[in-house]
PDB file of all heavy atoms in Angstrom:
ATOM      1  N   PRO A  53       2.238  12.995   7.725  1.00 93.00           N
ATOM      2  CA  PRO A  53       3.722  12.712   7.681  1.00 93.00           C
ATOM      3  C   PRO A  53       4.233  12.045   8.853  1.00 93.00           C
ATOM      4  O   PRO A  53       3.515  11.970   9.869  1.00 93.00           O
ATOM      5  CB  PRO A  53       4.317  14.181   7.637  1.00 93.00           C
ATOM      6  CG  PRO A  53       3.317  15.062   8.407  1.00 93.00           C
ATOM      7  CD  PRO A  53       1.925  14.385   8.084  1.00 93.00           C
ATOM      8  N   GLY A  54       5.346  11.406   8.709  1.00 87.00           N
ATOM      9  CA  GLY A  54       6.029  10.682   9.779  1.00 87.00           C
ATOM     10  C   GLY A  54       7.062   9.747   9.301  1.00 87.00           C
ATOM     11  O   GLY A  54       6.919   9.218   8.098  1.00 87.00           O
ATOM     12  N   GLN A  55       8.109   9.510  10.075  1.00 85.00           N
ATOM     13  CA  GLN A  55       9.081   8.562   9.706  1.00 85.00           C
ATOM     14  C   GLN A  55       9.298   7.553  10.921  1.00 85.00           C
ATOM     15  O   GLN A  55       8.716   7.822  11.967  1.00 85.00           O
ATOM     16  CB  GLN A  55      10.375   9.304   9.483  1.00 85.00           C
ATOM     17  CG  GLN A  55      10.311  10.489   8.419  1.00 85.00           C
ATOM     18  CD  GLN A  55      10.001  10.028   7.150  1.00 85.00           C
ATOM     19  OE1 GLN A  55      10.422   8.876   6.596  1.00 85.00           O
ATOM     20  NE2 GLN A  55       9.222  10.836   6.373  1.00 85.00           N
ATOM     21  N   ALA A  56       9.896   6.469  10.614  1.00 81.00           N
ATOM     22  CA  ALA A  56      10.295   5.435  11.689  1.00 81.00           C
ATOM     23  C   ALA A  56       8.906   4.904  12.276  1.00 81.00           C
ATOM     24  O   ALA A  56       7.982   4.669  11.577  1.00 81.00           O
ATOM     25  CB  ALA A  56      11.252   5.861  12.614  1.00 81.00           C
ATOM     26  N   SER A  57       8.916   4.970  13.539  1.00 79.00           N
ATOM     27  CA  SER A  57       7.733   4.486  14.323  1.00 79.00           C
ATOM     28  C   SER A  57       6.618   5.389  14.066  1.00 79.00           C
ATOM     29  O   SER A  57       5.526   5.120  14.523  1.00 79.00           O
ATOM     30  CB  SER A  57       8.047   4.300  15.799  1.00 79.00           C
ATOM     31  OG  SER A  57       8.430   5.575  16.390  1.00 79.00           O
ATOM     32  N   ASN A  58       6.766   6.623  13.704  1.00 85.00           N
ATOM     33  CA  ASN A  58       5.658   7.516  13.489  1.00 85.00           C
ATOM     34  C   ASN A  58       5.210   7.670  12.017  1.00 85.00           C
ATOM     35  O   ASN A  58       4.579   8.487  11.686  1.00 85.00           O
ATOM     36  CB  ASN A  58       6.176   9.046  13.931  1.00 85.00           C
ATOM     37  CG  ASN A  58       6.490   9.034  15.417  1.00 85.00           C
ATOM     38  OD1 ASN A  58       5.747   8.567  16.105  1.00 85.00           O
ATOM     39  ND2 ASN A  58       7.628   9.775  15.595  1.00 85.00           N
ATOM     40  N   ALA A  59       5.597   6.627  11.262  1.00 89.00           N
ATOM     41  CA  ALA A  59       5.123   6.518   9.871  1.00 89.00           C
ATOM     42  C   ALA A  59       3.594   6.378   9.737  1.00 89.00           C
ATOM     43  O   ALA A  59       3.019   5.792  10.758  1.00 89.00           O
ATOM     44  CB  ALA A  59       5.855   5.513   9.094  1.00 89.00           C
ATOM     45  N   THR A  60       3.091   6.595   8.592  1.00 92.00           N
ATOM     46  CA  THR A  60       1.674   6.432   8.410  1.00 92.00           C
ATOM     47  C   THR A  60       1.556   5.554   7.171  1.00 92.00           C
ATOM     48  O   THR A  60       2.142   5.710   6.146  1.00 92.00           O
ATOM     49  CB  THR A  60       0.936   7.766   8.052  1.00 92.00           C
ATOM     50  OG1 THR A  60       1.100   8.636   9.171  1.00 92.00           O
ATOM     51  CG2 THR A  60      -0.423   7.626   7.682  1.00 92.00           C
ATOM     52  N   ALA A  61       0.624   4.417   7.308  1.00 94.00           N
ATOM     53  CA  ALA A  61       0.480   3.485   6.276  1.00 94.00           C
ATOM     54  C   ALA A  61      -0.805   2.794   6.487  1.00 94.00           C
ATOM     55  O   ALA A  61      -1.372   2.558   7.620  1.00 94.00           O
ATOM     56  CB  ALA A  61       1.577   2.527   6.193  1.00 94.00           C
ATOM     57  N   LEU A  62      -1.479   2.417   5.380  1.00 97.00           N
ATOM     58  CA  LEU A  62      -2.646   1.514   5.409  1.00 97.00           C
ATOM     59  C   LEU A  62      -2.218   0.146   5.182  1.00 97.00           C
ATOM     60  O   LEU A  62      -1.524  -0.177   4.186  1.00 97.00           O
ATOM     61  CB  LEU A  62      -3.650   2.005   4.344  1.00 97.00           C
ATOM     62  CG  LEU A  62      -4.837   1.059   4.212  1.00 97.00           C
ATOM     63  CD1 LEU A  62      -5.711   1.074   5.542  1.00 97.00           C
ATOM     64  CD2 LEU A  62      -5.756   1.456   3.132  1.00 97.00           C
ATOM     65  N   ILE A  63      -2.414  -0.846   6.074  1.00 97.00           N
ATOM     66  CA  ILE A  63      -1.864  -2.171   5.947  1.00 97.00           C
ATOM     67  C   ILE A  63      -3.069  -3.058   6.063  1.00 97.00           C
ATOM     68  O   ILE A  63      -3.766  -3.121   6.966  1.00 97.00           O
ATOM     69  CB  ILE A  63      -0.919  -2.440   7.219  1.00 97.00           C
ATOM     70  CG1 ILE A  63       0.205  -1.365   7.226  1.00 97.00           C
ATOM     71  CG2 ILE A  63      -0.368  -3.864   7.097  1.00 97.00           C
ATOM     72  CD1 ILE A  63       0.955  -1.290   8.502  1.00 97.00           C
ATOM     73  N   ILE A  64      -3.267  -3.918   4.940  1.00 98.00           N
ATOM     74  CA  ILE A  64      -4.180  -4.952   4.891  1.00 98.00           C
ATOM     75  C   ILE A  64      -3.466  -6.215   5.249  1.00 98.00           C
ATOM     76  O   ILE A  64      -2.650  -6.744   4.621  1.00 98.00           O
ATOM     77  CB  ILE A  64      -4.746  -5.108   3.320  1.00 98.00           C
ATOM     78  CG1 ILE A  64      -5.027  -3.734   2.766  1.00 98.00           C
ATOM     79  CG2 ILE A  64      -5.936  -6.034   3.347  1.00 98.00           C
ATOM     80  CD1 ILE A  64      -6.102  -2.866   3.547  1.00 98.00           C
ATOM     81  N   ALA A  65      -3.879  -6.662   6.386  1.00 98.00           N
ATOM     82  CA  ALA A  65      -3.206  -7.803   6.959  1.00 98.00           C
ATOM     83  C   ALA A  65      -3.648  -9.196   6.283  1.00 98.00           C
ATOM     84  O   ALA A  65      -4.743  -9.174   5.575  1.00 98.00           O
ATOM     85  CB  ALA A  65      -3.504  -7.997   8.467  1.00 98.00           C
ATOM     86  N   ARG A  66      -3.037 -10.229   6.424  1.00 97.00           N
ATOM     87  CA  ARG A  66      -3.426 -11.559   5.720  1.00 97.00           C
ATOM     88  C   ARG A  66      -4.798 -11.814   6.208  1.00 97.00           C
ATOM     89  O   ARG A  66      -5.139 -11.783   7.408  1.00 97.00           O
ATOM     90  CB  ARG A  66      -2.369 -12.751   6.206  1.00 97.00           C
ATOM     91  CG  ARG A  66      -1.150 -12.782   5.802  1.00 97.00           C
ATOM     92  CD  ARG A  66      -0.353 -13.957   6.057  1.00 97.00           C
ATOM     93  NE  ARG A  66      -0.223 -14.033   7.496  1.00 97.00           N
ATOM     94  CZ  ARG A  66       0.633 -14.984   8.115  1.00 97.00           C
ATOM     95  NH1 ARG A  66       1.204 -15.861   7.550  1.00 97.00           N
ATOM     96  NH2 ARG A  66       0.699 -14.926   9.507  1.00 97.00           N
ATOM     97  N   GLY A  67      -5.620 -12.236   5.244  1.00 98.00           N
ATOM     98  CA  GLY A  67      -6.949 -12.552   5.548  1.00 98.00           C
ATOM     99  C   GLY A  67      -7.852 -11.297   5.617  1.00 98.00           C
ATOM    100  O   GLY A  67      -9.187 -11.380   5.511  1.00 98.00           O
TER     101      GLY A  67
END
Side-chain angles (χ1 to χ4, degrees):
Q55 307 296 321
S57 62
N58 294 318
T60 294
L62 176 63
I63 303 164
I64 312 306
R66 285 187 298 190

